[in-house]
Amino acid sequence: MNMTHGNRHRRTGLDNCTINGTFRDIADNTLRLTVHFFRTGTGGEPVREWLKGLSTPCKKVIGEDIKTVQFGWPLGMPLVEKIEPGLWEVRTRLKDGIARILFSVDGSNMILLHGFIKKTRRIPLQELDTARARKHQYQEST
């Protein structure tokens, strides 16, 4: 069940996983970005693996936010924040914190580099360094 109140959109009925973000209607259905998971040299996909460890309702909410970015790019706060040149984050509010997926854009490709749940305002340096290193590895491989 979805309830909308002004700019606030709250999904209800999600056990341990709710979102309080801006609901953005996308007027056209044009896919602007195609999602790709960053792949390590050994074939692992860290963001996909991280997502698999989350509850189904949380995965669904995060997936809906990624889809909003795919169809609405470029977007800003509260859903997407630019971290630095070439690096953005998708922010999804969950009951236990904010899920962050750090990503880069390469043409019409959205490269999901790193995902984590954060409870503080600032991105921990270790998480940011992980995303930067993966972005560099991706750029070196293309």
Side-chain angles (χ1 to χ4, degrees):
M1 176 167 131
N2 291 333
M3 298 183 324
T4 304
H5 183 269
N7 284 349
R8 306 297 280 180
H9 181 74
R10 169 168 266 177
R11 294 173 184 93
T12 58
L14 301 177
D15 61 338
N16 298 332
C17 190
T18 60
I19 181 169
N20 295 317
T22 298
F23 180 72
R24 186 172 197 272
D25 287 322
I26 311 262
D28 66 40
N29 290 329
T30 304
L31 181 68
R32 297 192 173 123
L33 295 176
T34 301
V35 169
H36 298 274
F37 289 87
F38 167 80
R39 188 170 295 188
T40 66
T42 58
E45 295 175 328
V47 175
R48 187 186 304 268
E49 293 161 14
W50 172 76
L51 285 168
K52 285 181 179 179
L54 300 175
S55 71
T56 298
C58 289
K59 287 187 272 197
K60 182 178 181 196
V61 173
I62 292 167
E64 288 172 359
D65 285 346
I66 291 170
K67 184 176 179 181
T68 298
V69 175
Q70 284 185 272
F71 284 90
W73 184 255
L75 295 173
M77 290 291 287
L79 183 60
V80 175
E81 182 173 12
K82 186 173 187 174
I83 304 302
E84 61 189 39
L87 189 62
W88 292 266
E89 68 175 346
V90 176
R91 307 169 72 160
T92 301
R93 283 200 181 278
L94 307 175
K95 183 178 181 181
D96 297 328
I98 300 174
R100 310 275 176 134
I101 296 186
L102 302 181
F103 70 96
S104 185
V105 174
D106 181 18
S108 62
N109 298 308
M110 178 182 188
I111 314 302
L112 305 182
L113 300 168
H114 186 52
F116 60 99
I117 295 179
K118 177 173 106 52
K119 297 182 181 185
T120 61
R121 290 195 75 199
R122 299 181 64 114
I123 297 175
L125 185 57
Q126 177 182 347
E127 308 290 0
L128 190 54
D129 286 345
T130 297
R132 287 173 176 153
R134 290 177 181 165
K135 178 182 167 198
H136 180 74
Q137 286 176 323
Y138 170 78
Q139 290 170 334
E140 292 293 313
S141 70
T142 57

